[in-house]
Structure formats: structure tokens, C-alpha cells
Amino acid sequence: MLDKTFNPQEVETRIYQAWVESGAFHMGRRPDAEPFCIVIPPPNVTGRLHIGHALNNTLQDAVTRFQRMRGKDVLWQPGMDHAGIATQLVVERQLAEKQQSRVAMGREKFLEAVWKWKDESGGAIGEQLRRLGASADWSRERFTMDEGLSRAVLKVFVELHRQGLIYKDKRLVNWDPRLQTAVSDLEVESIEMKGSLWHIKYAVEGSDDGIIVATTRPETMLGDTAIAVHPENEKYKHLIGKQARIPLADRLIPIIADEYADPEKGTGAVKITPGHDFNDFEIGKRHGLQLINILAKDGTLNEVAPEKYRGLDRFVARKAMVADLEELGLIDKIEPITHAVPHDEKTKTVVLEPYMTEQWYLNVKPLAERALKAVEDGRTKFVPENWTGVYYNWLRNIQPWCISRQLWWGHQIPAWYDEDGKIYVADNEADAVKQSGGKKLTRDTDVLDTWFSSALWPFSTLGWPDDTAEVKRFYPTNVLITGFDIIFFWVARMIMMGLHFMDDVPFKTVYIHNRVLDEKGVKMSKTKGNVIDPLELIDLYGADALRFTVCLAAGQSKDMRIGPSRVEINRNFATKIWNAARFCEMNGCETRPNFDPAKVEHTINKWIVAETAKAAAEVTDNLEALRFNDAAGAAYRFVWDVYCDWYLEFIKPLLNGTDEGAKAEARMTAAWVRDTVLKLLHPFMPYITEELWARTVEHLAPRDSLLIEAPWPDLSALPVNAASAAEMQWVIALVQGVRSIRSEMNVPPSAKIALVLKDALPETKERLDTHHHIIATLGRLSTVATADVFPQGSAQFVVGEAVAGLPLGDVIDFAKERARLEKDLKKAEDEIARFDAKLGNEQFVSRAPEDVLQEQRDKRAEAIAMAARLKEALTRLA
């Protein structure tokens, strides 16, 4: 017997354990079936489940469960990323709490500490994904630093170096002075900050003229090697060719002509610092300027700076230099500004932008050309398609990839140096020594960018570089589901590496989902206090409610709004499903193996069989097309609006009647639809559906399998039953019309009223006669009849070719009701006018936050809908 309510906390752990013990998650259980593979975007080993993970992994699990139920040999490949910077930071913080440091420990001991942390505390997110219901093959879980993946990384590096694609070069890079490592351009996060624009006077040698430049980083003036002005700048072109003196440094630099200097921007003159600005670096190359580095690796000023500023942190030096410039009268003005300041996205450290250093690079241009063609040829397609343009744009403008990081945690670069600095790249030190002719070698201390190993994920996790059965069976994989923010970091690089080393794309489809916003449409952030913790939502409402919420929200190319109230609504949907199953159980609706839905005879059952087939087709088509919101929405509408709200109400007279044949057919049909519903909902709501699948037949023979492995419903061969469908849709339309009038006219719920049908054809009269009991019950009607005229004071509505009337003269006061409706209509129209005035006010629209604007738009739409309903109600009183 089903409990009165569904208790997720009691069910979820038990059900998940049953899945694990059954082996349902494992690939290889159907060796003759079509393979299907999806690889998880590996979460960081330091990670905790956030709402983005909940969204991404729910969508992956929905696809996985759907394809498994379709009979395929499914592999959802799980694993975690070693997260170089993030993990090193975590362990360094822990050491600092014990008054220990990485440097004092040494590399070997520090790495032992990291591995110990990983084994004891890392990977909590794996357990959290299990709470969500993730049905990945956990027996195959991989880690980007495990032995197999490390072999793959080693092979790829050595091979790419042998091919001349990996090389060392001295270039400008983004530099994190806190960790003292290079940071990829893609890992730089620009954060809006309040700052100052200092206008500084430079004296012009041999002239009474001065020249003013504006900068947000005055300390970098010590590395200036020129001042640029536009060749047509009337204010400054007479100074071209002269020299200016750098304040505080007492060094002369040329004034050069370059079109990069915009006469309309700033002062019209630009200080050129090739060693500390990417644009200036290019200008410096054009003009043959010297490159001067004024900074040490830790962000302090080096020996190039005047002695007064040496060893000072860049920000301390900035403050001291500005004070000295003000004392000398060389600050023309200070302009407060808000500007984008580059930060390391992991440490949030303000990045030195840029810093000249020697790093390892991968020339990705040749790889990018193949990756472009693969998508152009349709071997890999993006869903939604609009992301293809973003992918193309990046690859067509791709720059060499800086792959080295000055960290200790990660894949150490397999390169060794002799005393003369010559480089030997090899699989191991012995091979490197052999290459060198027996010289004493020292290994490169750098590690590879975390994304280097991630780029190999689709084939390294299957066992490559070994020629494994899994590689042969599951590569290329079928679909990748990921966020738009890592198209460059990860997706493009996987396609490049897959084509280069496997000679095939790593996946056939890339599904890109958008951002998750809060319920008001605002981006989540800790400072705003609107971050949603999915684990708290699971504790409150259950995993199924959260999963169904994210699936309903996951429209292609749309940002998603998710919050507690929406999850609560879908908890209520779970309750609706549970109550429907309890109704079936209490009314003897039992699953019968020999039941054939194509042979039902009663109109109501024919109709629901056709509706079920239609819903199954809609859910299937949308899941195949990765339209998750449409698939979940189709299931929701069928379960709530069709099965629960109409069909179960329609069959109550049959279940309570004396016709045993009709009663038996209704019971079997209701059970068959319930079972189909459980299958259709399982990819989205696995826990409640699995529980009901087992519990609704516990007094009969047990099911043949767990629901997770039950066959997906293919109902395409069932009859359309068009006549029955038309008949029952007519009944629904009639009852809905009655209910609308009762609501609009404030008819008391307890009042039984009459229904009169006018101008009805014989077929319609027959329908009315057949279903009069259902119509009367659901519409709370005293009588149901046909007539040639309506009684005085009847509210009317059209249904098919006929007109239905409800005599309300004895129930409501028409004059008072009209006055009430007109008053409410006036109020609604006034509200619409107020919203229009507000949203038409440019000043308000330009200043109001987006969530406030959206709230005003939503309220306006509600007022418009209310006015339309009130107008319709007034017409019924005519």
C-alpha cells in the first residue's frame, strides 16, 4: 500500500543503492546493442555542487536514462579534473594554517600533501552528483592525473613537440603575481572596478612645450620607451621626432607618429610601454622600440626602477609615485573612472598585464583548420546552431596556446635541460639522457595548463593511448552537454586534439546550455546574496523536483530562471503523480501483462490511449532533438492536464458503476497509462518513478526489471482514435466553458446551476446524452438539457456549432455583477497605463536594474490578461 505522501529523503538513498547493486549504470551489459556514449565535463576535484552542475548533469542524466531505456549500450563516462591552480591554492591555504609553506616543504613533499588531500577530502562533488541521481558508470571513474590519463598527456606532448607544434618562446603573457605563474588569455576575467585616470605631464626636450598622457597605471611609466601621437593630430604633430623626459626616471624617450593614438580619446597622446601592455608591444615592434621590464615575478618593482621604489609592491609604488608627481606639479588632473581590470579568474588576483617571460606554446593554427572544417562539414554540429558562429570566430582568430604554468600540481612538462640550456623532450629521463649523449640533465619545473589534459578527455578516458575495446566501441562519442563559457577552453580544444590524434571528431553533437539566473532574471553572485544551493533544494524538495525544474527551464538559447518557488511547484507536481498512483491503487487499477491498449472499446479509454501515444511521441521527439524544456513540458501537460485532471475524473463513474466490463477496462487502461507516464518521466524524475514502478505492483508479481532498464514506450502503432478524441475534447471544452463562467461571474462553488445547449446537431445531442453525468458532476450542474431558447439572464458561450447557456438570474445579481466587472476592468486598465508610462520613460528604463524592469513587464502582461478576461466576462452578461 502506498504511503499517503512521497518522502524523497527516505526513498532516494535506497533507490540509488538499488540501481548501483543492479549494475544498471555499467556499460557493456548489452554487447549486441547500438553503443551510446557521453562524457561528463569533469568537475574540479575541489568543487562543490552548484546550480550550474545541477543543470548540466541533470541534462546529461536525462539523455543517458532515455538512451538506456531505448535499449542502447550506454556509457556515461564520469571523472574529475585535477584543477591545477584551484587545488594548489586549497592545499597552500591549509599549510598556511599550520604555519607551513609549499616552498619550505619542497616539491616532492608538497605533492604528497596534495595527493593526501585529494584522497581524504577531494572529490566530494562525486557523492553530490550521486545525490542528484546521476547514473554514470562510476566503476570507470577517471581523474586527469591518474596513471592512464598521465600516459596520454605524455604521449601527446612528446608527439606534438616532435611535429614542431610545441615550442618555447619568450612572449608577453598574463601573469598572476600571487601564484607567480602565467595565465591563459581565456582565464583572465575582466572585473569592473572604480579607479583613477591620471593625466601626467612629460617635458619635451629642447622645447617649452609639454605633452600630457593619461594612464590608469602610472607606475608603468618607468618602462615607457616612447609617446605616440596620431600623425594628423594638430595639437601634437609638431612634436613628432622630438624627445620627452619621463618624470621620476629622468630618461628621454622619442615622440613617434602612430595611428593607434586616437586624437579624440584621452589626451590624444599615448605612453608606449612595450613590456607591460599587449597593444604597446605591437607598436614597439613596428617602431623598433626597446622593451623594458620594471616588475619582478611577485609584482614588486625591480632594479630598473629608481632606488626609492625598488622592492615596493606595484600598488604601493603607484601610490608613492603619484604623491611624488603631485609634489612636483606634474599631475595635470585626476579623473575618477570605472574600468575593466583583468583578474585571474581562479585567484581573483589583479593580473600583471602583461609580463615578458619564456613559456611553452602550442601552435594550434594547423589543428584549428581541421576543427573548423569538421564543423563546416557537419561532422560535429552545435545545438543550438547559433553557437557555431562563436566557435568559428574564435578558431579563425586563434593565437598560440600558452600551455605551461609555474605550478607544482599538474602534469610536469617532459623536458630536460643540459648545462648549456639545450632542451630534450622525451617520455622519460632515461630517454632524454640518451638523446643528450649521456649529459647531466635537469627537468623543467613547469606543469601543463589543466585544459591540456582535459582536451584529451573523450579518448583518454576510454583507455587511449592503448588500443582498447572501449575506444573502438565508444569513440567518437555521441553528444557533449556543456556550458557556453567553455566553448574555447574545452570544446574547441577537444575537437582539435580528437581530429589530430584519433583522426575523427570526439563527438557528433555539442549541446550548449545558457546561464542559470535567479527567479527575477538576475545573475547569481555571493555579493547579491542570490546564489542557490542545489543541495539545500534537494534537502527541502527532493532531487526529482530540482531536476524537473532545470529541465523545464532549459530552453535552447535561453537563460534559465530557477529558484526555490519554482522547485516547490515541481515538488507539487511530484505529489500530483504520487496521488494519481494512489488513486489507481485504491481503485484496483492493476498492471496486466496481456492488456492491449489498441483493443479498448470505451470512448474515454480510446481517447486516453490516443493522447498517451501522442504524448509519448512528443516527449521522444523532443528528447532526441535535445529540447529538454519541450520534452519535460509535454510530459507535464499530459500528466497534469490530461491524465490527472480529466481522465481520472472521467473514469470515476465507470469505476463506481455496475458495468463490470467497463470497470475492468477502465482499471487496466488507467494502470497502463500510469506505467507509461512513469517511463516518460523517468529521465527527468528518476526517484519517484522508480519507487512507484516497484510499489504499484508489490501485491502482484514483481516487475521484470527496474524502471531504469525498462523499455522506452514506442506507441506509434496505436490507433489515432480520431472520433473518440473529438468527442472527449468536446466534453472538455464544454466543462471548461462552464467552469470559466462560474469563476468569472462569482458563482458560489456550492451552487448547482442548469446547463442549456442550443442549436446542437444530432451528433452533439448524442454526446451530451452519453456524457451528461460526467458533465454535470465536473461542472457542478443541476440539470443538462437542450432547448431552442435560453431563459432570461443566461450567460452564454460557444462550444462547437452549438451555444451553451447558464441561467444565472436566480444565482447572481446581474446589475451588481456588471458594476463589479466594470470597476475591476477600470482598475486593470489604469494599471496597464501606469506600467506603459513607466516602461516608456527612457530615464527609468536606463537606470532600473534588469530584474526590476522584468518585474514591471511581467506585471503589465498580467494586467493585460486580466483586462481581457474581464471584457470577455462582460460580453457574457449582454
mmCIF file of all heavy atoms in Angstrom, residues 434-451:
data_model
loop_
_atom_site.group_PDB
_atom_site.id
_atom_site.type_symbol
_atom_site.label_atom_id
_atom_site.label_comp_id
_atom_site.label_asym_id
_atom_site.label_seq_id
_atom_site.Cartn_x
_atom_site.Cartn_y
_atom_site.Cartn_z
ATOM 1 N N LYS A 434 69.702 9.738 -22.982
ATOM 2 C CA LYS A 434 70.208 9.047 -24.180
ATOM 3 C C LYS A 434 70.301 10.023 -25.362
ATOM 4 O O LYS A 434 71.285 10.032 -26.107
ATOM 5 C CB LYS A 434 69.279 7.886 -24.510
ATOM 6 C CG LYS A 434 69.796 6.972 -25.594
ATOM 7 C CD LYS A 434 68.856 5.788 -25.770
ATOM 8 C CE LYS A 434 69.366 4.869 -26.870
ATOM 9 N NZ LYS A 434 68.449 3.714 -27.093
ATOM 10 N N GLN A 435 69.247 10.869 -25.493
ATOM 11 C CA GLN A 435 69.251 11.869 -26.567
ATOM 12 C C GLN A 435 70.443 12.818 -26.429
ATOM 13 O O GLN A 435 71.040 13.245 -27.409
ATOM 14 C CB GLN A 435 67.962 12.702 -26.530
ATOM 15 C CG GLN A 435 66.717 12.034 -27.059
ATOM 16 C CD GLN A 435 65.519 12.991 -26.995
ATOM 17 O OE1 GLN A 435 65.662 14.189 -27.154
ATOM 18 N NE2 GLN A 435 64.336 12.432 -26.748
ATOM 19 N N SER A 436 70.765 13.150 -25.174
ATOM 20 C CA SER A 436 71.812 14.152 -24.929
ATOM 21 C C SER A 436 73.215 13.582 -25.051
ATOM 22 O O SER A 436 74.195 14.332 -25.001
ATOM 23 C CB SER A 436 71.645 14.749 -23.525
ATOM 24 O OG SER A 436 72.014 13.801 -22.525
ATOM 25 N N GLY A 437 73.277 12.283 -25.187
ATOM 26 C CA GLY A 437 74.613 11.663 -25.245
ATOM 27 C C GLY A 437 75.211 11.448 -23.881
ATOM 28 O O GLY A 437 76.424 11.448 -23.727
ATOM 29 N N GLY A 438 74.339 11.308 -22.870
ATOM 30 C CA GLY A 438 74.808 10.995 -21.524
ATOM 31 C C GLY A 438 75.091 12.184 -20.646
ATOM 32 O O GLY A 438 75.725 12.048 -19.598
ATOM 33 N N LYS A 439 74.612 13.349 -21.029
ATOM 34 C CA LYS A 439 74.872 14.539 -20.221
ATOM 35 C C LYS A 439 74.026 14.551 -18.944
ATOM 36 O O LYS A 439 72.994 13.880 -18.850
ATOM 37 C CB LYS A 439 74.549 15.795 -21.034
ATOM 38 C CG LYS A 439 75.457 16.024 -22.218
ATOM 39 C CD LYS A 439 75.052 17.295 -22.958
ATOM 40 C CE LYS A 439 75.958 17.541 -24.161
ATOM 41 N NZ LYS A 439 75.551 18.760 -24.908
ATOM 42 N N LYS A 440 74.471 15.363 -17.996
ATOM 43 C CA LYS A 440 73.683 15.583 -16.781
ATOM 44 C C LYS A 440 72.550 16.552 -17.118
ATOM 45 O O LYS A 440 72.790 17.637 -17.658
ATOM 46 C CB LYS A 440 74.556 16.148 -15.665
ATOM 47 C CG LYS A 440 73.813 16.348 -14.350
ATOM 48 C CD LYS A 440 74.730 16.931 -13.280
ATOM 49 C CE LYS A 440 73.965 17.142 -11.984
ATOM 50 N NZ LYS A 440 74.819 17.752 -10.923
ATOM 51 N N LEU A 441 71.330 16.149 -16.789
ATOM 52 C CA LEU A 441 70.167 16.946 -17.184
ATOM 53 C C LEU A 441 69.347 17.389 -15.974
ATOM 54 O O LEU A 441 69.355 16.728 -14.931
ATOM 55 C CB LEU A 441 69.256 16.145 -18.127
ATOM 56 C CG LEU A 441 69.898 15.610 -19.411
ATOM 57 C CD1 LEU A 441 68.882 14.822 -20.214
ATOM 58 C CD2 LEU A 441 70.480 16.750 -20.242
ATOM 59 N N THR A 442 68.633 18.490 -16.139
ATOM 60 C CA THR A 442 67.711 18.997 -15.116
ATOM 61 C C THR A 442 66.331 19.117 -15.747
ATOM 62 O O THR A 442 66.187 19.666 -16.848
ATOM 63 C CB THR A 442 68.162 20.389 -14.613
ATOM 64 O OG1 THR A 442 69.490 20.288 -14.121
ATOM 65 C CG2 THR A 442 67.227 20.879 -13.508
ATOM 66 N N ARG A 443 65.310 18.631 -15.038
ATOM 67 C CA ARG A 443 63.960 18.633 -15.616
ATOM 68 C C ARG A 443 63.297 20.002 -15.471
ATOM 69 O O ARG A 443 63.473 20.706 -14.475
ATOM 70 C CB ARG A 443 63.070 17.577 -14.949
ATOM 71 C CG ARG A 443 61.714 17.448 -15.637
ATOM 72 C CD ARG A 443 60.952 16.228 -15.205
ATOM 73 N NE ARG A 443 59.689 16.116 -15.957
ATOM 74 C CZ ARG A 443 58.848 15.092 -15.864
ATOM 75 N NH1 ARG A 443 59.137 14.081 -15.031
ATOM 76 N NH2 ARG A 443 57.744 15.064 -16.577
ATOM 77 N N ASP A 444 62.506 20.350 -16.461
ATOM 78 C CA ASP A 444 61.693 21.573 -16.418
ATOM 79 C C ASP A 444 60.741 21.484 -15.226
ATOM 80 O O ASP A 444 60.115 20.444 -14.994
ATOM 81 C CB ASP A 444 60.894 21.698 -17.723
ATOM 82 C CG ASP A 444 60.323 23.089 -17.932
ATOM 83 O OD1 ASP A 444 59.723 23.616 -16.981
ATOM 84 O OD2 ASP A 444 60.460 23.633 -19.037
ATOM 85 N N THR A 445 60.651 22.542 -14.459
ATOM 86 C CA THR A 445 59.807 22.518 -13.254
ATOM 87 C C THR A 445 58.349 22.884 -13.536
ATOM 88 O O THR A 445 57.494 22.701 -12.668
ATOM 89 C CB THR A 445 60.353 23.508 -12.206
ATOM 90 O OG1 THR A 445 60.400 24.813 -12.787
ATOM 91 C CG2 THR A 445 61.733 23.087 -11.738
ATOM 92 N N ASP A 446 58.067 23.398 -14.731
ATOM 93 C CA ASP A 446 56.700 23.823 -15.041
ATOM 94 C C ASP A 446 55.763 22.628 -15.226
ATOM 95 O O ASP A 446 56.207 21.503 -15.508
ATOM 96 C CB ASP A 446 56.668 24.669 -16.320
ATOM 97 C CG ASP A 446 57.268 26.049 -16.127
ATOM 98 O OD1 ASP A 446 57.646 26.358 -14.974
ATOM 99 O OD2 ASP A 446 57.368 26.797 -17.111
ATOM 100 N N VAL A 447 54.470 22.906 -15.078
ATOM 101 C CA VAL A 447 53.443 21.901 -15.373
ATOM 102 C C VAL A 447 52.583 22.414 -16.526
ATOM 103 O O VAL A 447 52.629 23.586 -16.900
ATOM 104 C CB VAL A 447 52.555 21.595 -14.147
ATOM 105 C CG1 VAL A 447 53.384 21.062 -13.001
ATOM 106 C CG2 VAL A 447 51.740 22.808 -13.731
ATOM 107 N N LEU A 448 51.770 21.531 -17.058
ATOM 108 C CA LEU A 448 50.903 21.898 -18.179
ATOM 109 C C LEU A 448 49.616 22.545 -17.691
ATOM 110 O O LEU A 448 49.112 22.229 -16.600
ATOM 111 C CB LEU A 448 50.561 20.650 -19.000
ATOM 112 C CG LEU A 448 51.697 20.120 -19.870
ATOM 113 C CD1 LEU A 448 51.394 18.705 -20.331
ATOM 114 C CD2 LEU A 448 51.939 21.040 -21.057
ATOM 115 N N ASP A 449 49.101 23.430 -18.498
ATOM 116 C CA ASP A 449 47.781 24.012 -18.269
ATOM 117 C C ASP A 449 46.779 22.874 -18.045
ATOM 118 O O ASP A 449 46.788 21.863 -18.762
ATOM 119 C CB ASP A 449 47.408 24.833 -19.512
ATOM 120 C CG ASP A 449 46.022 25.454 -19.430
ATOM 121 O OD1 ASP A 449 45.382 25.390 -18.360
ATOM 122 O OD2 ASP A 449 45.579 26.002 -20.455
ATOM 123 N N THR A 450 45.930 23.021 -17.054
ATOM 124 C CA THR A 450 44.918 21.994 -16.743
ATOM 125 C C THR A 450 44.112 21.602 -17.979
ATOM 126 O O THR A 450 43.743 20.437 -18.147
ATOM 127 C CB THR A 450 43.971 22.527 -15.652
ATOM 128 O OG1 THR A 450 44.714 22.748 -14.459
ATOM 129 C CG2 THR A 450 42.863 21.539 -15.357
ATOM 130 N N TRP A 451 43.827 22.585 -18.851
ATOM 131 C CA TRP A 451 42.984 22.301 -20.020
ATOM 132 C C TRP A 451 43.690 21.423 -21.046
ATOM 133 O O TRP A 451 43.036 20.884 -21.951
ATOM 134 C CB TRP A 451 42.532 23.616 -20.656
ATOM 135 C CG TRP A 451 41.610 24.394 -19.765
ATOM 136 C CD1 TRP A 451 41.921 25.481 -19.003
ATOM 137 C CD2 TRP A 451 40.233 24.120 -19.525
ATOM 138 N NE1 TRP A 451 40.812 25.904 -18.296
ATOM 139 C CE2 TRP A 451 39.776 25.093 -18.595
ATOM 140 C CE3 TRP A 451 39.332 23.164 -19.989
ATOM 141 C CZ2 TRP A 451 38.458 25.135 -18.135
ATOM 142 C CZ3 TRP A 451 38.023 23.191 -19.535
ATOM 143 C CH2 TRP A 451 37.599 24.162 -18.618
#
